[in-house]
Structures are given as C-alpha cells and as structure tokens.
C-alpha cells in the first residue's frame, strides 16, 4: 500500500517501528488504521499518534493531546491509498474519530498535508478544510551571506552531492524563500525544528 501510494519513508514499517521505540517528541499512543475492501485487502492506511502540539499551532490546552496523523516532523502526510478519494477520506476520518473517542480525546486530524495535494483535495471534499499553519524547510543564511556562502562552507565531496540535489530540486521547480526570524517567535519551537531537521 505504501508503494502504491508513492508514500515517503515516514510510512515505512521500519520508520514506524523505530519511532515507537525512539520518538523525537512524546507520543502517548500509536494507532494504525487500515481500511479493508470486501475481500479483506487493505485499500488505505493511516498511522496515527496520540501527541501534543509542540508548535502551539492547534490551540491545545497545556497537557492536552490529540490523535494526529503521523508526527510533527514528518513531511508529506497523505492518505495512504492507491488513489486519495473523498470516500476514503471520510472512512479514515470516521475511524480516527472512533479511536480518538475511545482514547478520551476531543481532537483528531491530519497534519503536514501539502496544499493542493490529492490528499488535501480529498480531505476538503470530505468536509475537513485545510488550515495553513507554517511554511517548512527554511535555512537562516545570516552567517553565510548567501546560498553560495552555504555551499562554500561544506567540504568538497558533500558540496558536489549537495549541488546534485540542488540541480534536481531546481529542475523540479523548488523555490527558495529567505525569511528573517520575527521577535515574537518562540525559541523553544525553533529549537525543536532544529533538532528534527
């Protein structure tokens, strides 16, 4: 199912087993929801974790937890199915709500779903509109002065490999945006992002 959905390594059995043993942030329960067809074949899958909100993005009260898809540092959350459809989104969401209720949790949902992705479209069609919380993947260039300064700071073998990835990203349409930290940003949250990166 993971291969059929073209899902990333965060959905591999190895990753999930490792995360259960060595979580980067506190996880208070692991649930793996499978949707089966009439023949008993898995047609969709959603790993869900009982966790807090280290970024303060969901407005949870202190000590409150939610049942969330994947974990905060996993990018590219998706409906793991051969095709992300509104029907699959409805079924997964209902199963997640059932698990959340049984765990005494009032909130559940998907985090880190790419805007305009098939999963986002399916979830919106199922009545769950997306909310933009933050833009991910940024690099503070202040001490380097520029992207070229970053490259100059890397040893040559790593620099060649980085440039290869840079070319592939550019060919794929990746855009780089420079942003300065704001005075009201929570240093602890930024520290968590640094650790997970």
């Amino acid at each position: 199912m993971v291969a059929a959905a073209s899902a990333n390594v965060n959905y591999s059995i190895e990753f999930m087993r490792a995360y259960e043993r060595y979580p980067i942030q506190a996880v208070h329960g692991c649930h793996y929801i499978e949707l089966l067809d009439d023949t008993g074949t898995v047609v969709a899958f959603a790993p869900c974790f009982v966790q807090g909100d280290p970024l303060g993005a969901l407005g949870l009260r202190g000590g409150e937890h939610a049942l969330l898809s994947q974990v905060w540092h996993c990018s590219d959350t998706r409906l793991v199915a051969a095709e992300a459809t509104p029907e699959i989104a409805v079924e997964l969401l209902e199963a997640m709500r059932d698990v959340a209720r049984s765990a005494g949790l009032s909130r559940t949902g998907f985090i880190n779903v790419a805007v305009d992705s098939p999963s986002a479209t399916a979830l919106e069609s199922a009545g769950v509109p997306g909310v933009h919380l933050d833009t991910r993947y940024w690099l503070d260039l202040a001490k380097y002065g520029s992207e070229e300064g970053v490259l100059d700071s890397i040893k040559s073998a790593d620099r060649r490999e980085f440039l290869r990835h840079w070319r592939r990203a550019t060919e794929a349409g990746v855009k780089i945006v420079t942003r300065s930290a704001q005075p009201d940003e929570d240093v602890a949250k930024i520290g968590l992002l640094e650790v997970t990166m």
Side-chain angles (χ1 to χ4, degrees):
M1 180 52 54
V2 171
S6 299
N8 68 25
V9 70
N10 296 332
Y11 289 94
S12 70
I13 290 170
E14 297 82 5
F15 175 86
M16 287 182 278
R17 283 183 181 154
Y19 202 86
E20 283 183 22
R21 288 189 305 266
Y22 308 106
I24 291 175
Q25 68 174 36
V27 170
H28 307 280
C30 304
H31 301 273
Y32 302 99
I33 297 172
E34 297 175 329
L35 295 184
L36 308 177
D37 66 12
D38 293 337
T39 67
T41 302
V42 177
V43 295
F45 168 72
C48 300
F49 299 90
V50 177
Q51 55 192 312
D53 180 7
L55 303 179
L58 303 178
L60 298 177
R61 294 180 312 276
E64 182 181 3
H65 299 118
L67 181 71
L68 301 173
S69 65
Q70 277 295 6
V71 288
W72 282 99
H73 66 278
C74 291
S75 60
D76 192 29
T77 297
R78 61 180 60 212
L79 301 178
V80 181
E83 181 182 359
T85 66
E87 295 78 19
I88 284 176
V90 166
E91 293 291 327
L92 284 175
L93 287 163
E94 188 53 43
M96 289 170 70
R97 288 180 186 117
D98 288 345
V99 170
R101 275 191 293 273
S102 71
L105 304 171
S106 62
R107 296 192 197 194
T108 187
F110 284 81
I111 54 174
N112 299 327
V113 178
V115 174
D116 298 328
S117 68
S119 294
T121 301
L123 288 164
E124 288 173 11
S125 295
V128 181
V131 175
H132 181 267
L133 298 177
D134 199 4
T135 301
R136 297 183 62 148
Y137 305 113
W138 61 273
L139 175 65
D140 182 0
L141 300 176
K143 72 179 184 181
Y144 303 105
S146 67
E147 289 88 357
E148 291 76 22
V150 172
L151 292 175
D152 290 341
S153 72
I154 301 170
K155 56 185 175 171
S156 64
D158 294 337
R159 185 169 46 248
R160 281 192 301 277
E161 182 65 11
F162 184 82
L163 286 169
R164 185 176 76 82
H165 286 280
W166 190 293
R167 278 192 304 279
R168 291 181 73 194
T170 302
E171 291 165 3
V174 172
K175 306 235 182 309
I176 296 170
V177 177
T178 303
R179 174 177 90 71
S180 298
Q182 302 300 309
D184 62 341
E185 290 184 296
D186 185 340
V187 175
K189 291 176 189 174
I190 292 171
L192 175 65
L193 292 175
E194 288 175 347
V195 168
T196 59
M197 290 174 76

